[in-house]
Amino acid sequence: MFSSESDSKFSTQNLAPAYFLFGPDPFLVEDARDRLLAALRKSKSEVSCLVVDLDETSVEDVLHIANCLPMFTSHQAIVVKGVMKLREKAGQGLKDYFANPSPFSTLIFLGGALDRDDKRKKIFEILEAGSQLLEMRALTDRKLREWVEDRCRSQGVEIDPEAVEFLIEWHGTELGTLSNEIEKLILFVAPEKRIARPAAEEGAGFARGHGTEEFIQALADKDERAALQRVSCVLADRDTATLNLWMIGQQIRQLLMVQELGSKMDPKELGRQLGLNYYFAVYEPYEARKRIRARLNELKQQARQFAKVRLARALCGLAELDHRIKSSQSHNDFYLEMWLHDLIHGNGGAES
């Protein structure tokens, strides 16, 4: 949902006493929340805001606060997380409140993605009957590209279509991630005020990312020479050395997660835990599932080549190397070569 669409839902003339904002992308839900709060502040002279989580606060306490006159303002907005976890008994109190809502409180309930079963729950029926529902649906491919372009344009920067395609393919469709990457790219290209694909690739560490995947594959193949050739660039640029180490560490963490969860979790959930669902979300569902399965098989094959203790020790070694670089210690290239040798030839088999 774009701002113009959400703004029309929050007309200052017809603000409701309660809202339920939900959807699969937290960025869209939070953006709608912010626009609703802005509309409230525009329509009321003074508005305070309280955020509560029903994992930590009872619904009875929330409704008690809602029915109390705010201490320092004329109106209060209460943002409530975790409402879909409420049982029917707790939901009854909410139903009673909706029948006679407080005139000086606005309840804003937040939720994530809801499937058909979620929408059959009693608590959803109560929210549907007593509050204004706004489902923030995931953006279509076309809308997503428009969103990236609008996001850049709103900050005075143009972005080429090829750069838009790269951002979505490389970073996925989660808007919070894309927003952060756009912010970084705007700083990266300043003062040119245009983002082209080469700049997007350089800003995202595209070449380095591919290099780390090849590096991990060389390790899995027990090809120390190839691994040394691919890791030689890790310390070449001191400004990006820590980022390179972080990317290698992420690959090793994925191997550890596959070792721990690969036999206990179905492929779809394992792909989500590893972040593969977002990475391949730019593709059509069938193609995305195929690519996720292929990547999972590749990671499982690589993970079988290493003992857990060696992977854990490798992460500790990367942390130590990161500290050495940040404290300007010397001989880091020798340290990295020893780290590599230990990972490939260290004691312990893949079954340990």
Side-chain angles (χ1 to χ4, degrees):
M1 181 175 289
F2 289 99
S3 60
S4 59
E5 296 175 280
S6 56
D7 287 344
S8 67
K9 300 287 186 180
F10 303 140
S11 167
T12 57
Q13 304 296 321
N14 301 298
L15 287 171
Y19 291 84
F20 181 33
L21 315 177
F22 64 96
D25 195 317
F27 186 92
L28 284 177
V29 174
E30 291 168 7
D31 182 66
R33 174 205 62 196
D34 292 344
R35 294 182 184 282
L36 175 53
L37 289 172
L40 273 173
R41 293 186 175 111
K42 188 175 180 180
S43 67
K44 311 290 183 181
S45 56
E46 294 176 319
V47 179
S48 60
C49 183
L50 174 67
V51 180
V52 296
D53 192 323
L54 293 180
D55 283 339
E56 303 168 357
T57 307
S58 69
V59 69
E60 292 79 12
D61 287 343
V62 172
L63 297 180
H64 174 73
I65 295 170
N67 282 311
C68 290
L69 185 69
M71 188 171 296
F72 300 111
T73 59
S74 61
H75 198 85
Q76 62 182 348
I78 305 174
V79 179
V80 184
K81 301 177 180 179
V83 68
M84 287 301 295
K85 299 176 184 177
L86 289 181
R87 304 273 183 185
E88 185 172 347
K89 183 178 179 181
Q92 185 60 44
L94 204 54
K95 184 177 180 180
D96 295 341
Y97 174 84
F98 287 151
N100 185 29
S102 167
F104 34 76
S105 295
T106 299
L107 296 181
I108 304 173
F109 299 96
L110 304 183
L114 301 184
D115 58 23
R116 189 175 301 174
D117 291 337
D118 290 323
K119 293 179 180 179
R120 289 174 179 160
K121 291 180 179 178
K122 186 66 177 179
I123 184 59
F124 184 82
E125 293 179 11
I126 292 171
L127 289 165
E128 188 176 31
S131 67
Q132 184 167 330
L133 266 60
L134 282 95
E135 182 173 5
M136 324 307 289
R137 294 184 177 88
L139 301 182
T140 63
D141 288 349
R142 181 176 65 84
K143 288 287 189 182
L144 182 60
R145 284 157 178 75
E146 290 177 5
W147 182 90
V148 172
E149 292 170 353
D150 289 346
R151 193 79 178 173
C152 293
R153 200 171 292 122
S154 69
Q155 302 201 41
V157 175
E158 295 295 323
I159 182 168
D160 294 347
E162 296 82 4
V164 174
E165 294 293 331
F166 172 79
L167 280 177
I168 295 172
E169 182 177 353
W170 186 244
H171 297 291
T173 59
E174 204 277 318
L175 298 187
T177 300
L178 285 172
S179 179
N180 290 335
E181 292 304 319
I182 289 169
E183 295 289 338
K184 288 192 291 186
L185 279 175
I186 288 172
L187 294 174
F188 185 72
V189 302
E192 293 181 18
K193 300 296 184 181
R194 173 171 289 277
I195 300 172
R197 177 164 180 139
E201 291 180 355
E202 188 175 354
F206 179 70
R208 291 191 299 272
H210 277 63
T212 56
E213 290 177 5
E214 293 172 354
F215 170 71
I216 292 293
Q217 184 62 57
L219 291 179
D221 294 339
K222 300 298 177 94
D223 189 343
E224 186 174 8
R225 180 179 178 181
L228 282 170
Q229 289 174 341
R230 284 167 173 79
V231 84
S232 61
C233 64
V234 171
L235 302 179
D237 183 351
R238 292 176 60 87
D239 292 335
T240 57
T242 54
L243 176 60
N244 291 336
L245 294 180
W246 177 84
M247 295 177 78
I248 293 170
Q250 285 293 93
Q251 295 277 357
I252 293 175
R253 288 185 190 93
Q254 283 190 331
L255 297 184
L256 277 169
M257 289 180 68
V258 167
Q259 288 184 345
E260 289 290 338
L261 304 174
S263 61
K264 306 172 187 176
M265 194 172 284
D266 66 80
K268 182 179 179 181
E269 178 61 18
L270 181 58
R272 190 184 70 81
Q273 292 288 339
L274 294 173
L276 302 182
N277 292 13
Y278 282 139
Y279 183 81
F280 292 116
V282 69
Y283 298 99
E284 293 299 319
Y286 173 77
E287 181 67 18
R289 288 194 295 271
K290 186 169 71 172
R291 287 173 179 265
I292 289 171
R293 284 196 298 268
R295 179 58 178 154
L296 282 175
N297 289 335
E298 183 182 13
L299 287 170
K300 288 178 180 178
Q301 185 177 2
Q302 292 175 358
R304 283 194 289 268
Q305 304 299 318
F306 300 97
K308 291 179 184 178
V309 65
R310 261 197 273 169
L311 292 175
R313 192 164 65 226
L315 283 179
C316 293
L318 286 176
E320 172 61 23
L321 182 53
D322 181 72
H323 172 72
R324 291 174 62 91
I325 292 170
K326 289 177 179 177
S327 57
S328 300
Q329 296 186 41
S330 58
H331 305 300
N332 291 324
D333 51 347
F334 176 73
Y335 184 95
L336 185 59
E337 290 169 5
M338 293 299 295
W339 173 89
L340 178 61
H341 183 83
D342 180 67
L343 182 56
I344 292 180
H345 303 292
N347 294 327
E351 72 280 357
S352 298

